[in-house]
Amino acid sequence: METVKIAPAKETAAVPAVRKKRKWTADHWLAAAFLAPSVALIFLFVYGFIGWTGYVSVSNWNSLVPDWSFAGLKNYQYLFQDFRFQADLRNTLVFTVLFIAVVIVLGQLLAILLDQKLRGESLFRNIFFFPMALSFVVTGVVWQWLFNPSTGVNLFLKPFGLDSKWYTDTTIAAGFHWGKIEFGIPVAMIAVVVAAVWQMTGFAVAMYLAGLRAIPDEVREAARMDGATEFQLYWKIILPLLRPITVSVIIIMAHISLKIFDLIYAMTGPGANFVTDVPGVYMFETTFRGNYYANGAAIAIVMLLSVAIFIVPYLISSRKGGS
Amino acid sequence: MAKPLWARPFLYMLALAMSAFFLLPVYVMIVTSLKPLDEVTLADMWKLPSTVDWSSYATAFEKLAPNFWNSILLVVPATLLSALLGALNGYVLSKWKFKGADALFTLILFGMFIPYQSILIPLIQFLREIGLYNTIPGLVFVHVVYGIPITTLMFRNFYAAIPDEMIESAKIDGAGFVRIFRYIMLPLSVTGFVVVAIWQFTNIWNEFLFAVTITTSDKQPIMVALQNLSGSQIVQWNVQMAGALLAALPTLLVYIFLGKYFVRGLLAGSVKG
């Protein structure tokens, strides 16, 4: 299969291959001077502050008054032995995997659906995209009402013998114990995943649709000429062509889900037995409600590392592949 | 194309069913917000209101109006400033590239993905230090700073599509850094500004973590106030839903009227330079 270039966003125009060595003119200095404040701000507010947080995470600052004395890895040790944080890690993993899987499957399905030249396509497109314009807080508030334990979606499910308590449910499905922590899928998390999927699927649809539109018609026609059914066309040819987009979708959704805070804070909070707790919520409560700054900083650093594992290789590879 | 006869109707049914899933929360939100409190019972969630009662909107508006205003005061300057900064950075990083510019750009870009929890503690200390803690200008500042990566990315991609030859010939005609920006780039940037402004407007309006940690009570933007609505006494779901609609209205309107640019921003924000 020849590589067909798929450009989700506008590709940058080809830069002339030979860039002459120029002397820095006054204009170059001016350009640098205009860029300098932003660079300085980023270095201080991103890298400097991350370093600062890193230092707080190994300090003894666990009260209202800053205490900069060195504590070593004590805060991290505490964290990883902490039941709540262990539950958080499990929940984040479950949330991330379920959320990304559903967003990708649903995103591809809806994008392919929209690509079938349906009447009213733009209306359908607008309906699938609009939750993107909303805040996670709005989404959380509305779905909290929809998943209200004694009502909402449950009235549809009752006839099927499902009597779910949703976000107040403390059941861990398919659970097994691993140390102190019960591993498995917290049932209450499913409600949060549904809300997050509702909010973010439009993003994946938009990306896949842009990808589908970038695939030349000749590809489809050639496949049909060869006698491929529509299903084969999509399964064997189109979907593999969309793989680079899937990588982007995974990266973007992963970084959103690993740091998610507002949706869960607005919808369920930590939940009983921390079944819907995530590091973002824990960090907020520890730091700003409990004034355990060092512990909060340690949570934040763990969150940063979990995101960096995805993002750093992505940024480096896209720089090499890009310009 | 020999498609089976049932395919089309099936596709429409699928599209309608999915639309129902996406519109369901909106239906419930509107229906609930129009009910008087005693009709907001759990069993009747799906039913239409027997009479239309606007009072929950009055209550929600009364409670949220000051915060709504805070959000306006926050989002307008923050959007304008960060778009302007992004345009300048994008211009430099696409048309005045120097050695190491791409590496620098990647370093800037990383700031877009970090969990803000990882800078929050120093940020708050810093804002206290300079007297901007619990102020709207403080929040404006924060959004402008942490907006740099995304706005720079968007403008850099946007400007990269403008042919270098135009810049080169302007240089030959004697135009410099500022004149080229002012007379060539800016006039061509209208779409770029619209896309970036919509993106920033939406993000800043919807943002919660900075808002909830940097401001308290009367300085809080709308999303924090909406979240707080549920915290008070018994939850009045009709007021909650009316409040959610009010809080969502500005970004929804932007989406309805400028949806094309909104989606373009979405895609531009998702892809590396």
Side-chain angles (χ1 to χ4, degrees):
Chain A
M1 186 85 242
E2 271 192 334
T3 49
V4 176
K5 187 123 172 88
I6 298 164
K10 236 163 249 145
E11 265 305 307
T12 53
V15 183
V18 236
R19 214 186 287 147
K20 292 152 281 173
K21 266 199 183 159
R22 288 195 214 90
K23 280 219 323 221
W24 269 49
T25 59
D27 277 332
H28 279 95
W29 287 109
L30 202 56
F34 271 100
L35 187 64
S38 292
V39 172
L41 285 170
I42 291 296
F43 272 87
L44 174 65
F45 283 80
V46 173
Y47 296 96
F49 280 9
I50 286 173
W52 190 335
T53 304
Y55 188 76
V56 174
S57 77
V58 291
S59 77
N60 282 311
W61 182 11
N62 272 323
S63 69
L64 262 177
V65 191
D67 175 353
W68 301 102
S69 59
F70 185 64
L73 293 176
K74 200 182 72 186
N75 298 309
Y76 290 93
Q77 275 166 359
Y78 166 79
L79 207 54
F80 282 97
Q81 285 162 7
D82 176 29
F83 173 78
R84 180 170 179 180
F85 195 67
Q86 291 174 350
D88 288 358
L89 294 179
R90 172 200 63 203
N91 296 344
T92 305
L93 187 68
V94 168
F95 178 80
T96 302
V97 170
L98 288 181
F99 169 66
I100 293 179
V102 179
V103 163
I104 285 176
V105 171
L106 203 57
Q108 288 184 342
L109 183 80
L110 293 180
I112 290 172
L113 186 66
L114 286 176
D115 200 36
Q116 302 305 308
K117 301 184 177 71
L118 299 181
R119 259 164 210 264
E121 182 207 308
S122 70
L123 179 67
F124 287 125
R125 205 173 48 212
N126 285 330
I127 290 173
F128 300 155
F129 288 176
F130 86 89
M132 288 293 314
L134 301 181
S135 154
F136 267 130
V137 175
V138 170
T139 302
V141 165
V142 175
W143 280 91
Q144 187 189 14
W145 175 224
L146 275 163
F147 274 120
N148 203 297
S150 44
T151 167
V153 194
N154 305 305
L155 291 184
F156 287 141
L157 299 176
K158 270 226 175 88
F160 300 100
L162 285 167
D163 192 9
S164 184
K165 292 170 280 183
W166 290 113
Y167 54 79
T168 55
D169 203 327
T170 53
T171 318
I172 311 285
F176 57 89
H177 276 272
W178 194 28
K180 253 194 308 179
I181 194 82
E182 191 176 2
F183 218 77
I185 301 171
V187 171
M189 218 27 154
I190 293 171
V192 185
V193 170
V194 171
V197 162
W198 179 82
Q199 163 109 44
M200 294 304 297
T201 297
F203 197 103
V205 177
M207 290 191 68
Y208 281 121
L209 202 55
L212 283 169
R213 297 277 146 91
I215 296 175
D217 275 341
E218 292 82 57
V219 174
R220 296 157 217 255
E221 273 153 31
R224 285 182 189 127
M225 294 280 266
D226 291 343
T229 62
E230 286 301 292
F231 180 79
Q232 284 172 327
L233 168 67
Y234 278 100
W235 188 248
K236 295 244 170 78
I237 297 169
I238 306 279
L239 286 186
L241 285 176
L242 292 177
R243 235 172 250 160
I245 296 184
T246 303
V247 173
S248 296
V249 173
I250 290 175
I251 301 284
I252 289 155
M253 294 303 151
H255 105 267
I256 290 170
S257 81
L258 289 173
K259 63 191 188 191
I260 196 142
F261 164 67
D262 25 12
L263 175 68
I264 290 177
Y265 188 74
M267 190 172 164
T268 61
N273 222 13
F274 305 122
V275 280
T276 56
D277 198 42
V278 287
V281 173
Y282 192 17
M283 188 277 170
F284 175 76
E285 291 187 346
T286 304
T287 316
F288 302 107
R289 296 290 176 260
N291 296 317
Y292 294 102
Y293 282 84
N295 288 340
I299 301 171
I301 293 296
V302 174
M303 289 176 73
L304 177 73
L305 292 177
S306 72
V307 170
I309 292 171
F310 283 89
I311 292 304
V312 172
Y314 179 68
L315 283 179
I316 291 172
S317 74
S318 69
R319 192 160 79 81
K320 280 184 186 138
S323 44
Chain B
M1 228 193 312
K3 275 194 181 178
L5 275 175
W6 52 267
R8 288 266 121 184
F10 172 74
L11 290 179
Y12 280 104
M13 271 167 56
L14 190 61
L16 287 173
M18 288 315 300
S19 301
F21 167 67
F22 280 95
L23 288 174
L24 178 100
V26 180
Y27 168 76
V28 171
M29 186 156 69
I30 293 173
V31 163
T32 308
S33 69
L34 291 172
K35 287 175 185 173
L37 188 59
D38 58 346
E39 239 179 86
V40 186
T41 54
L42 302 169
D44 291 337
M45 170 183 257
W46 307 99
K47 289 190 187 143
L48 288 167
S50 59
T51 52
V52 173
D53 180 352
W54 293 97
S55 65
S56 49
Y57 281 93
T59 314
F61 187 75
E62 193 193 329
K63 284 186 177 164
L64 297 179
N67 310 93
F68 195 92
W69 183 237
N70 284 345
S71 279
I72 301 265
L73 289 178
L74 160 67
V75 80
V76 172
T79 300
L80 294 177
L81 283 173
S82 66
L84 200 62
L85 208 53
L88 277 169
N89 293 342
Y91 172 50
V92 173
L93 287 170
S94 64
K95 298 300 178 212
W96 295 87
K97 278 193 181 178
F98 44 89
K99 205 164 174 284
D102 286 338
L104 192 64
F105 176 62
T106 306
L107 283 174
I108 294 175
L109 221 48
F110 182 64
M112 178 173 137
F113 296 100
I114 58 163
Y116 291 133
Q117 283 88 351
S118 66
I119 47 90
L120 210 46
I121 294 170
L123 179 68
I124 287 169
Q125 281 190 294
F126 177 84
L127 290 176
R128 277 188 209 279
E129 210 60 45
I130 62 170
L132 283 181
Y133 180 75
N134 196 23
T135 63
I136 302 289
L139 266 187
V140 171
F141 176 76
V142 168
H143 281 292
V144 171
V145 169
Y146 292 102
I148 288 174
I150 182 83
T151 57
T152 302
L153 167 73
M154 286 175 151
F155 272 110
R156 183 181 176 271
N157 285 353
F158 185 80
Y159 286 151
I162 295 174
D164 283 345
E165 289 76 36
M166 273 176 90
I167 313 296
E168 295 300 331
S169 60
K171 276 185 198 166
I172 292 166
D173 293 344
F177 177 84
V178 176
R179 283 178 67 91
I180 293 173
F181 185 68
R182 169 71 187 81
Y183 293 104
I184 298 180
M185 303 306 267
L186 271 189
L188 292 171
S189 307
V190 179
T191 323
F193 270 97
V194 173
V195 170
V196 171
I198 287 176
W199 175 265
Q200 282 299 85
F201 176 89
T202 311
N203 274 351
I204 298 169
W205 186 273
N206 288 342
E207 203 278 335
F208 184 70
L209 182 62
F210 286 140
V212 77
T213 47
I214 289 171
T215 56
T216 55
S217 59
D218 64 331
K219 294 292 192 301
Q220 283 167 344
I222 183 91
M223 287 308 156
V224 185
L226 174 64
Q227 156 65 23
N228 288 346
L229 265 189
S230 63
S232 50
Q233 344 102 30
I234 32 153
V235 184
Q236 296 173 297
W237 283 106
N238 52 347
V239 177
Q240 278 267 82
M241 292 301 120
L245 260 173
L246 286 177
L249 209 55
T251 52
L252 270 183
L253 289 178
V254 164
Y255 174 70
I256 289 167
F257 291 111
L258 298 161
K260 191 175 73 176
Y261 299 101
F262 178 82
V263 174
R264 222 183 273 179
L266 211 75
L267 294 173
S270 66
V271 176
K272 60 287 158 142

